[in-house]
Amino acid sequence: MSSATESFISSRAADWIAFRRDLHRHPELGFTEFRTIARIAERLAPLGYRLRLGAEVIRREAMRGVPPAETIAQCRARALAEGASPHYVARMGEGMTGLVAELSRGPGPVVAMRFDVDALPIHEATRETHLPAKQGFASARPGAMHACGHDGHAAIGIALAEIAAQPHTEWSGTLRLIFQPAEEGGRGGHAMTERGIVDDVDRLFALHLGCDLPSGRVAASATDMLFSTKWDATFHGRAAHAAANPERGQNAILAAAQAVTALYAIARHGHAPTHVNVGRMEGGTGRNVIADRARLEIEVRGLDDDSLAHMDTRARAAVEGAALMQGCTVDLVEVTRTVGATTSPGARGIVAASAAALPGIDVVESWPLGGCDDAAFLMRRVQERGGEAAYLIVGSDLAAGHHATSFDFSEGALLVAARLMAEVLQRASATRKLSIG
Amino acid sequence: MSSATESFISSRAADWIAFRRDLHRHPELGFTEFRTIARIAERLAPLGYRLRLGAEVIRREAMRGVPPAETIAQCRARALAEGASPHYVARMGEGMTGLVAELSRGPGPVVAMRFDVDALPIHEATRETHLPAKQGFASARPGAMHACGHDGHAAIGIALAEIAAQPHTEWSGTLRLIFQPAEEGGRGGHAMTERGIVDDVDRLFALHLGCDLPSGRVAASATDMLFSTKWDATFHGRAAHAAANPERGQNAILAAAQAVTALYAIARHGHAPTHVNVGRMEGGTGRNVIADRARLEIEVRGLDDDSLAHMDTRARAAVEGAALMQGCTVDLVEVTRTVGATTSPGARGIVAASAAALPGIDVVESWPLGGCDDAAFLMRRVQERGGEAAYLIVGSDLAAGHHATSFDFSEGALLVAARLMAEVLQRASATRKLSIG
Amino acid sequence: MSSATESFISSRAADWIAFRRDLHRHPELGFTEFRTIARIAERLAPLGYRLRLGAEVIRREAMRGVPPAETIAQCRARALAEGASPHYVARMGEGMTGLVAELSRGPGPVVAMRFDVDALPIHEATRETHLPAKQGFASARPGAMHACGHDGHAAIGIALAEIAAQPHTEWSGTLRLIFQPAEEGGRGGHAMTERGIVDDVDRLFALHLGCDLPSGRVAASATDMLFSTKWDATFHGRAAHAAANPERGQNAILAAAQAVTALYAIARHGHAPTHVNVGRMEGGTGRNVIADRARLEIEVRGLDDDSLAHMDTRARAAVEGAALMQGCTVDLVEVTRTVGATTSPGARGIVAASAAALPGIDVVESWPLGGCDDAAFLMRRVQERGGEAAYLIVGSDLAAGHHATSFDFSEGALLVAARLMAEVLQRASATRKLSIG
Amino acid sequence: MSSATESFISSRAADWIAFRRDLHRHPELGFTEFRTIARIAERLAPLGYRLRLGAEVIRREAMRGVPPAETIAQCRARALAEGASPHYVARMGEGMTGLVAELSRGPGPVVAMRFDVDALPIHEATRETHLPAKQGFASARPGAMHACGHDGHAAIGIALAEIAAQPHTEWSGTLRLIFQPAEEGGRGGHAMTERGIVDDVDRLFALHLGCDLPSGRVAASATDMLFSTKWDATFHGRAAHAAANPERGQNAILAAAQAVTALYAIARHGHAPTHVNVGRMEGGTGRNVIADRARLEIEVRGLDDDSLAHMDTRARAAVEGAALMQGCTVDLVEVTRTVGATTSPGARGIVAASAAALPGIDVVESWPLGGCDDAAFLMRRVQERGGEAAYLIVGSDLAAGHHATSFDFSEGALLVAARLMAEVLQRASATRKLSIG
């Protein structure tokens, strides 16, 4: 890395961290990232990036798990109230909160980098030992939190965009920065892929902070990138007086509770990481009424199609058996489904070489993700059309694990990631163009 | 019954039924019955009844399970928007939605009659076979329904008030009509009792429609009037990523589900009706997060202190064992507690004689209620001070059981009840004054 | 009661108590009561009773829940080794361990009395505070115990037989004493009924000690004599290595456990005592193998056909839902089914009058049994053919409830019962013969 | 491999397969392998091996999970009745059913090979599609089955012993063949290690057939060799009449069932294979008695100390929470605990080179075992004292997975394994002696 670039990074670091903290304070859930995307667009436009938003980068028919229209409208109004550019907000329409920013510089391959920007429906910790709380940038929105580091991903995207736009930065070709909504739940990646935004990409890089990889380390690829299915199960029973005529009821809450215990008891696979979770449950009306309705939000995961199919089959049996127990019926609706992906050797080599060029960084060839990331949809599309794709992990010491209420990453990792992606851009744009399509 | 009274009843029947249907269409949950009470007050004032409302009849400190202030404010505003008298609404303050109406006519005992007026948090059935839906008087408020017949109780109270106010109706002494809020959950009866509204009552009569007693029958007293405890259990765990680090979570949803299965599995008593219900459950945030919070609304019932204590002890163990299983903590808060009561023989005799005087009515001495009614607080107070109290049941064929979404009673029972209570008034006021206090 | 009879009872009391203690020390489970019946026969033959045993009093095809032939053979051998008369043992064949003893004295009705004699599969308490342990007559057979008082019933039968055989005892007609096996599980009563042993009976009396009725009280009839169904559920799954390939297993133990929690969670009836129990469970082979088989012994009870049908339906759903959850199949076999019965008013009057004749005894008209007794089969048969039947309860303070490991009754009740049944015999034989058949 | 060895193997193959089938037909559970070990000893003695048995090779104090003395006595008697040499049987005493056979040939290192020989408590499939059933060598002992291939391991040990004893076979040093009992449940390996039988070993090789590795492949080492804890949980409650007084009971069966559902629901680790199983459950006495005792046989597994500790902690909470729910107490006894081990690189190299020398065999460096093997105790001891150890897998197509009732391996794998171990012996004995102790 040139000393000019190093100087630039040093001079900008504080601002990038401030940007991340602003996003952290204003978390937005999947398909409502109006303010987040607008803020990013406002920064990239002046740098010369060509911006595409909303329907230009998201295929509406391919969106899944979209919040109710009312929720989207409220979030949009809130973004505007908080000063988001009406121009950009309008272009995102009914939840198409994605952005693709592109910069070209001479001949060369198309290098894409993907950054996801959504938050989670978690109440952030408020105790003093939680750094964001102590320093005043904890979520200002009860029930929403950047508990997976996507605020950091967005900041890395901004940093890389600024670095790449500097005249002295060495690279050639086309840089495409993808700011993706709704990674949680595995919804946005598919909708952007189906809009064709990576169909002409030679090399795609997606990154994640943390993932139990300590600060100072970079993994050039991820294993155990899980497949998943997201189900909603709604039990329908029959209400009755809980003391006078309980025998006339069909108890939907009891069915749901029995389903929960059966779901967690599913036999995990002997040779593949497999998981199940019930992240939400809700049911019943009054205390003295046997509940006639209850609802569960379920997900199952597996290492591959086979182990996911095992989990799917068993989850279905758990839910249906519970309904049968109580004489209830159950609607089991698949909300979405994600896949895994593997890193292309060529792309992994570029990441490894880039990381090796950074002083004080320890490079590992691969690291288990142990979770899902719908970057897999983009990666698979790139690979299917002849390109290469990598999923890399930038280590960062965590205050608590991903999705914990006191999750927090070490911000030093933002600068490591900025430097790393700059190196990746240089190397990836210097390699030959592939035969795509 | 005099032929004048009979004629009066015949001429008024259609209006009373219309009144009941208006309440049915506008159900109000416990401690938010602003419109209901205002409508009743508007009808009774012109008849010469002395009205006491709000803090005059409810002891605020004794109110339990009060809805959030925001909810109360919304309901109050809605009542006003729907034309409820601002004067009466204002007097009910922050949820003290009770009314006592009194009429005196010469010397004689104080005869009280209690009518509960609240609805349930149930979504009313919408199918054509459900009469209220077919005839257009089903609930206009999603999530609230008169599914226990309290709309009918209110109409019976109006009918009796009108009959008693007729000059030709024979009775003497003081008639006190108690329109009580929040019977569901057993909250209003206690708060009115503690305000002293029955401290000087000689004879108290509380009634219920239905209760699996067929049309054409009247029960002069109720057995199996259950004791109950209402608990809220909130489980606190630790959030974690559901696939990357499930081992770091403490799963509050799973704890709650295990508690539900354990609660319903409590050994029922060998010699006493005992019941348990979980009427509401809610927990978790996002699908891919191990839930750090879940909440259950629980009630247990028993025939007496002993069998209720058994259920209480076991319920506590079920909830605490479930928390222990998941390394969670649990807050178990007693929301309220109700008692049972037995009918005084003297009062039962008055009811039996009154029912026997009605043509075509079959009188039974007692009938199992199998549920709770916080009229018991009022009854016990009257009995403790030397008075007599009865809990009577007016049979009515039901389309579906109490608390079912398609609950509906036969409106003919309203007129039976009106005639019955007029007879009761006559007989009760004709017997000697007791030594009260 | 004549002073001669009183003197006789006093002189014999110690022996009857010793007889009861001998049975208590040598408990025998249903359809293996070889020693018990032989000991009774050995005592009754010299008194002039005509004895019928085995196939003469039990219809073999109607026997249900019969132990394996090997078990029966072992029990028979044990009885012989303990000195039971080979003559009587041989007559009882393969588990037909019932006895009918008859004595006639002049003209008069046929009065039958039924005494059940079997023990339970319970390990008796051994601590010093348990009287049978302290006094050395606790069960000598691990896993079997007279925990319901049937040892006492047998002793009462002996006492009554001796009293009736005294020349000075006043009665006339035919006395038929029925010593019934296998009351526990409701098996022997049906098999004796089907053999026709009460087809010509005018009046039948069955009694039980204890039942939470205190010493000094007698109930002339029992309410809440429950109906029941006994089910065996066997789950069949698929074995697999518990760590290498758990996904290939179908877990029968987990299915059974889920069935247990679902069974106990069945909604009890609002207006009828209803119960469920899983008294035995067993499953699996090795610790590191996913179990391919598990078995539950279930019973459900209700007050009548309707409430039992509710429990049956829900139990079936619980078991089938659990199997579905685990991809198992389940065989649900009805082992037996018992009914309730009500006491005939005439017979109740005889019992009440007899009890009233005893000094210091408090008579109650009825008492809830809260359990099953297959005397109901005999009672129903008698009533169907024109006779009368009563189920009476002789109060006895209990050290612990029926079926508890430290159950013990107060032996004074034996003498109360002996006196009572002598009075019943006198009155029942003195009333007119009914028209039977 | 020399052509002489090849010819020898061909000539002996049928006999080795017959030997395996004889063991398959006569399976013996852990610490009762009297017949199996005697048969092996009878074959090895004539070949010149020095034999040590019983207390010479097993440390009695270190034996865990030993069957009752009565069971051991019955199995010993059965072995004698089936013709096992009384001399050898006597030397094995009370369950010390292990054998070490040694042959020395010139200078060189001590090379040990370990073969486990015990069966599982599984009922073998009897259908015609199951080859052992079809060909008549299925288990003749109901409830016991060689469902993990240890019969094959024993046959491979015999084959290697014969090959090594041939004068033309090239090797030098000391060959020590370890025939180990009670691998299932992880009991025998520890007891032999503690007797010091590998304290002077330079290189140790343990092998397993199958493990989902197909025929024609050999894995030179195993990963995912799990740690485990085996627990017995006994719940103690209070018996009561299931209908008359259920409220007095403390239900041990229900507690056990709730523990089972909680155990299987334990959150599995995000980054380590972790498993739980309840392989046996048993509880209760009579159908109409609330159970006062129930017992579970539990195991948990993890990849390492940390993930096993997670499973241990959660299992304890599951069991204790279930007891609390029912007011029961629970005894949680650790029966045994196993560890994992990793293959030494040097030993892995020898296996890989040996497998590569076999025609038609595909060598993989490592393969996940996904289960436990108490060879780990022997391996760790060898490694701690300076030696090398390998755990290798010989692929074999399976009719059904390990521990399934229709498990069967392809017998061709026996000959592959015999050849492989002969090659391993040659190479291992040719490498330098290590510095041990």
Side-chain angles (χ1 to χ4, degrees), chain B residues 125-297:
Chain B
T126 54
R127 53 182 174 280
E128 269 292 295
T129 53
H130 181 53
L131 189 91
K134 188 178 177 188
Q135 306 220 345
F137 66 93
S139 170
R141 296 172 175 164
M145 174 187 177
H146 270 295
C148 202
H150 300 185
D151 48 347
H153 297 173
I156 295 164
I158 290 293
L160 190 274
E162 293 189 14
I163 295 167
Q166 290 297 306
H168 52 71
T169 306
E170 281 180 43
W171 65 280
S172 176
T174 297
L175 171 63
R176 187 174 300 159
L177 302 174
I178 300 167
F179 293 91
Q180 181 205 303
E183 188 281 325
E184 303 294 347
R187 297 166 291 159
H190 180 255
M192 295 192 91
T193 303
E194 292 301 307
R195 191 63 183 78
I197 64 162
V198 292
D199 285 2
D200 61 342
V201 165
D202 292 84
R203 289 184 184 84
L204 168 70
F205 300 88
L207 101 177
H208 211 296
L209 287 169
C211 305
D212 295 323
L213 189 69
S215 288
R217 303 181 73 180
V218 165
S221 66
T223 59
D224 290 8
M225 201 169 171
L226 302 181
F227 289 58
S228 76
T229 317
K230 323 286 181 185
W231 301 96
D232 281 355
T234 307
F235 295 87
H236 300 282
R238 189 165 60 207
H241 191 291
N245 313 113
E247 75 279 3
R248 294 186 198 160
Q250 310 285 16
N251 195 325
I253 279 184
L254 182 50
Q258 287 167 324
V260 169
T261 64
L263 284 163
Y264 281 109
I266 292 174
R268 305 314 195 277
H269 201 280
H271 294 297
T274 37
H275 296 284
V276 55
N277 195 49
V278 180
R280 276 280 303 157
M281 73 172 181
E282 181 271 320
T285 56
R287 190 190 303 273
N288 56 3
V289 182
I290 289 187
D292 64 351
R293 204 195 60 88
R295 187 169 161 281
L296 301 178
E297 295 186 16

Side-chain angles (χ1 to χ4, degrees), chain B residues 18-35:
Chain B
F19 183 77
R20 175 254 163 168
R21 292 186 174 196
D22 176 68
L23 294 191
H24 192 86
R25 187 156 171 74
H26 301 91
E28 294 176 308
L29 302 184
F31 293 133
T32 70
E33 303 92 334
F34 294 100
R35 182 185 184 281

Side-chain angles (χ1 to χ4, degrees), chain D residues 64-308:
Chain D
R64 292 175 292 199
V66 183
E70 191 181 46
T71 303
I72 290 178
Q74 286 169 354
C75 293
R76 197 166 43 201
R78 183 180 62 187
L80 292 169
E82 290 174 357
S85 155
H87 170 65
Y88 294 129
V89 169
R91 285 171 68 184
M92 288 183 267
E94 304 300 319
M96 291 176 289
T97 48
L99 166 70
V100 172
E102 196 164 306
L103 193 67
S104 291
R105 180 186 283 191
V110 180
V111 176
M113 294 180 179
R114 177 277 208 164
F115 308 94
D116 45 354
V117 304
D118 57 321
L120 282 154
I122 292 179
H123 292 270
E124 187 158 8
T126 54
R127 55 184 174 278
E128 268 293 293
T129 53
H130 180 53
L131 190 90
K134 187 179 179 187
Q135 305 222 342
F137 66 93
S139 170
R141 296 171 175 165
M145 174 189 176
H146 269 296
C148 201
H150 300 183
D151 50 346
H153 298 173
I156 294 165
I158 291 292
L160 191 273
E162 293 189 14
I163 295 168
Q166 290 297 305
H168 53 71
T169 306
E170 281 180 44
W171 65 280
S172 175
T174 297
L175 171 64
R176 185 176 300 160
L177 301 174
I178 300 167
F179 293 91
Q180 181 205 304
E183 188 281 323
E184 303 294 348
R187 298 167 291 160
H190 179 255
M192 295 192 91
T193 302
E194 292 302 305
R195 190 63 183 80
I197 64 162
V198 292
D199 285 1
D200 62 340
V201 165
D202 292 85
R203 289 184 185 84
L204 168 71
F205 300 89
L207 101 178
H208 211 295
L209 287 169
C211 305
D212 295 323
L213 188 69
S215 288
R217 303 182 73 179
V218 165
S221 67
T223 59
D224 291 6
M225 200 167 172
L226 302 181
F227 289 58
S228 76
T229 317
K230 323 286 182 185
W231 301 97
D232 281 356
T234 307
F235 294 86
H236 299 283
R238 188 164 63 207
H241 192 291
N245 314 112
E247 75 280 5
R248 295 187 196 158
Q250 309 284 17
N251 195 325
I253 278 184
L254 182 50
Q258 287 166 325
V260 168
T261 65
L263 284 162
Y264 280 110
I266 292 174
R268 307 313 195 277
H269 201 280
H271 293 300
T274 37
H275 297 284
V276 55
N277 195 50
V278 180
R280 277 280 303 156
M281 71 171 183
E282 182 270 321
T285 56
R287 190 189 304 272
N288 55 2
V289 183
I290 290 187
D292 64 349
R293 205 195 60 87
R295 186 170 161 281
L296 301 177
E297 296 185 16
I298 304 163
E299 63 165 20
V300 293
R301 312 204 199 198
L303 184 62
D304 46 31
D305 280 327
D306 273 4
S307 51
L308 180 63

Side-chain angles (χ1 to χ4, degrees), chain B residues 7-19 414-415 419:
Chain B
S7 295
F8 178 74
I9 291 176
S10 299
S11 69
R12 296 292 302 142
D15 186 61
W16 296 335
I17 288 172
F19 183 77
L414 296 181
L415 303 185
R419 285 188 183 93

Side-chain angles (χ1 to χ4, degrees), chain A residues 58-382:
Chain A
I58 286 183
R59 181 154 176 236
R60 196 182 171 116
E61 298 73 21
M63 288 167 69
R64 292 176 292 200
V66 183
E70 191 180 45
T71 303
I72 290 178
Q74 286 169 352
C75 293
R76 197 168 42 202
R78 183 179 61 188
L80 292 169
E82 291 174 356
S85 155
H87 170 64
Y88 294 128
V89 169
R91 285 170 70 184
M92 289 183 268
E94 304 300 318
M96 291 177 288
T97 47
L99 167 68
V100 172
E102 196 165 307
L103 193 67
S104 290
R105 181 183 286 189
V110 179
V111 176
M113 294 180 179
R114 176 277 208 164
F115 308 94
D116 44 355
V117 304
D118 56 320
L120 282 155
I122 292 179
H123 292 271
E124 186 158 9
T126 54
R127 55 183 174 278
E128 269 292 295
T129 53
H130 180 52
L131 189 89
K134 187 178 178 187
Q135 306 221 342
F137 66 92
S139 170
R141 295 171 176 166
M145 174 188 176
H146 269 296
C148 201
H150 300 184
D151 49 346
H153 298 173
I156 296 165
I158 291 292
L160 191 273
E162 293 189 14
I163 296 168
Q166 290 297 305
H168 52 71
T169 306
E170 282 181 44
W171 66 280
S172 177
T174 295
L175 171 63
R176 185 175 299 160
L177 302 174
I178 300 168
F179 293 91
Q180 182 205 302
E183 189 282 324
E184 303 294 348
R187 298 166 291 160
H190 180 255
M192 296 192 91
T193 302
E194 291 303 306
R195 190 63 183 79
I197 64 161
V198 292
D199 286 2
D200 61 341
V201 165
D202 292 84
R203 288 183 184 85
L204 168 70
F205 300 88
L207 102 177
H208 211 296
L209 287 169
C211 306
D212 294 324
L213 188 68
S215 288
R217 303 181 73 179
V218 166
S221 66
T223 59
D224 291 7
M225 201 168 170
L226 302 181
F227 289 58
S228 76
T229 316
K230 323 286 182 184
W231 301 95
D232 281 355
T234 307
F235 294 86
H236 300 283
R238 189 164 61 208
H241 192 290
N245 313 112
E247 74 281 2
R248 295 188 197 158
Q250 310 284 17
N251 195 325
I253 279 183
L254 181 51
Q258 288 167 324
V260 169
T261 65
L263 284 163
Y264 281 109
I266 293 174
R268 307 312 196 279
H269 201 280
H271 293 300
T274 37
H275 297 283
V276 56
N277 196 48
V278 180
R280 277 281 302 156
M281 72 172 183
E282 181 271 319
T285 56
R287 191 189 303 272
N288 55 2
V289 183
I290 289 187
D292 65 350
R293 205 195 61 87
R295 185 168 163 282
L296 301 178
E297 296 186 16
I298 304 163
E299 63 164 21
V300 292
R301 312 205 199 198
L303 184 62
D304 46 31
D305 279 328
D306 273 5
S307 52
L308 180 62
H310 162 68
M311 297 300 287
D312 273 347
T313 304
R314 296 291 177 109
R316 189 177 282 279
V319 165
E320 291 178 351
L324 178 56
M325 278 177 170
Q326 299 306 325
C328 293
T329 58
V330 61
D331 293 333
L332 193 55
V333 176
E334 185 183 310
V335 178
T336 188
R337 182 173 278 266
T338 68
V339 294
T342 50
T343 290
S344 312
R348 183 175 61 216
I350 290 172
V351 178
S354 301
L358 299 179
I361 293 299
D362 183 21
V363 191
V364 294
E365 190 163 327
S366 70
W367 187 255
L369 181 62
C372 302
D373 194 314
D374 64 359
F377 288 107
L378 296 154
M379 292 170 69
R380 285 175 166 238
R381 174 65 61 89
V382 168

